[in-house]
């Protein structure tokens, strides 16, 4: 059964720091891994999608890496800003149906706070 | 304009009432999904549809039904709402298997 774990559950850092969020998954048979941002009570915004054949993707100050064989992904945020405060979710899309459904499997998220 | 929209954004209802949540998309995607999010449980898939004639149950479909009225519209119904269906509901779309999913802004549903 595919399981996704995100550590830490919460992180608080001062503005300007570079930081890394971690995501691990138990089954390497995936199509892709997607990182999302969620603001309190709001929807999910897709940040980066990494296909299983890729090692990393970059968008602005964000860089996501994927090591499929070890079941790990990291989201690197450079020069953090207070506006980066949100919950960050990673999700994998397994090759095989999960509980009979083609679905994303989500981690519980890391709640990030950037202090001015 | 948002690519994936949901109505209503907030709804308070009473136990036993029938309620419908609607989702529309302008992305031209064939695949649409309904998820619910509960604190501490993450996102769980309720139903998904690969095209207008293909609707499938997700992991927590009991107590819910859906209708795919058109490629762009996917509705979720609670036939007789109960308090443990209080949650944040999300609609999502994708263009194909293994492709990026795009989420709507969510509907916060409270069942009293």
């Amino acid at each position: 059964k595919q399981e996704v774990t995100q550590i830490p559950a919460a992180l608080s850092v001062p503005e300007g720091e570079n930081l890394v969020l971690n995501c691990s998954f138990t089954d390497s048979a995936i199509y892709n891994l997607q990182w999302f941002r969620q603001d309190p009570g709001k929807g999910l915004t897709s940040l980066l999608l990494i296909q299983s054949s890729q090692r990393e993707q970059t968008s602005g100050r964000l860089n996501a890496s994927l090591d499929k064989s070890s079941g790990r992904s990291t989201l690197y945020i450079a020069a953090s800003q207070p506006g980066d405060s949100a919950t960050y979710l990673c999700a994998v899309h397994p090759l095989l149906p999960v509980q009979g459904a083609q679905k994303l499997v989500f981690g519980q998220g890391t709640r990030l706070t950037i202090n001015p | 304009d948002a690519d994936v929209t949901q109505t209503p954004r907030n709804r308070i209802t009473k136990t036993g009432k029938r309620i419908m949540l609607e989702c529309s998309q302008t992305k031209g995607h064939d695949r649409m999904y309904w998820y619910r999010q509960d604190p501490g449980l993450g996102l769980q898939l309720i139903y998904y549809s690969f095209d207008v004639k293909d609707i499938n149950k997700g992991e927590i479909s009991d107590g819910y039904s859906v209708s795919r009225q058109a490629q762009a519209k996917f509705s979720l119904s609670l036939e007789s709402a109960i308090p443990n269906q209080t949650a944040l509901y999300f609609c999502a779309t994708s263009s194909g298997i293994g492709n990026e999913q795009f989420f709507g802004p969510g509907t916060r549903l409270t069942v009293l």
Side-chain angles (χ1 to χ4, degrees), chain A residues 35-95:
Chain A
W35 281 94
F36 294 90
R37 169 190 172 132
Q38 184 176 25
D39 294 284
K42 300 294 176 72
L44 279 69
T45 300
S46 180
L47 297 173
L48 289 163
L49 174 76
I50 311 179
Q51 299 292 351
S52 63
S53 59
Q54 297 176 315
R55 296 286 293 184
E56 65 178 63
Q57 281 284 345
T58 298
S59 176
R61 293 183 294 109
L62 305 179
N63 175 277
S65 69
L66 175 64
D67 184 343
K68 195 176 66 168
S69 61
S70 68
R72 296 183 184 216
S73 176
T74 61
L75 179 66
Y76 174 83
I77 302 176
S80 59
Q81 304 170 358
D84 294 331
S85 297
T87 296
Y88 290 80
L89 296 161
C90 76
V92 298
H93 194 149
L95 288 176

Side-chain angles (χ1 to χ4, degrees), chain A residues 31-32 34 36 38 41-44 46-49 51 89 93 95 99-104 106-108, chain B residues 9 33 35 37 40-43 45 48 50 57-59 88 90 97-105 108:
Chain A
Y31 283 107
N32 58 51
Q34 198 167 348
F36 294 90
Q38 184 176 25
K42 300 294 176 72
L44 279 69
S46 180
L47 297 173
L48 289 163
L49 174 76
Q51 299 292 351
L89 296 161
H93 194 149
L95 288 176
Q99 296 175 284
Q102 283 288 351
K103 56 167 284 187
L104 289 178
F106 284 84
Q108 293 291 327
Chain B
R9 295 294 312 279
Y33 310 80
Y35 292 88
Q37 186 179 37
L41 291 180
L43 279 90
L45 183 65
Y48 61 105
F50 286 170
K57 292 182 178 181
E59 58 193 313
L88 193 54
F90 290 108
I97 192 168
N99 290 349
E100 189 172 6
Q101 287 196 17
F102 296 89
F103 282 71
R108 181 168 296 281

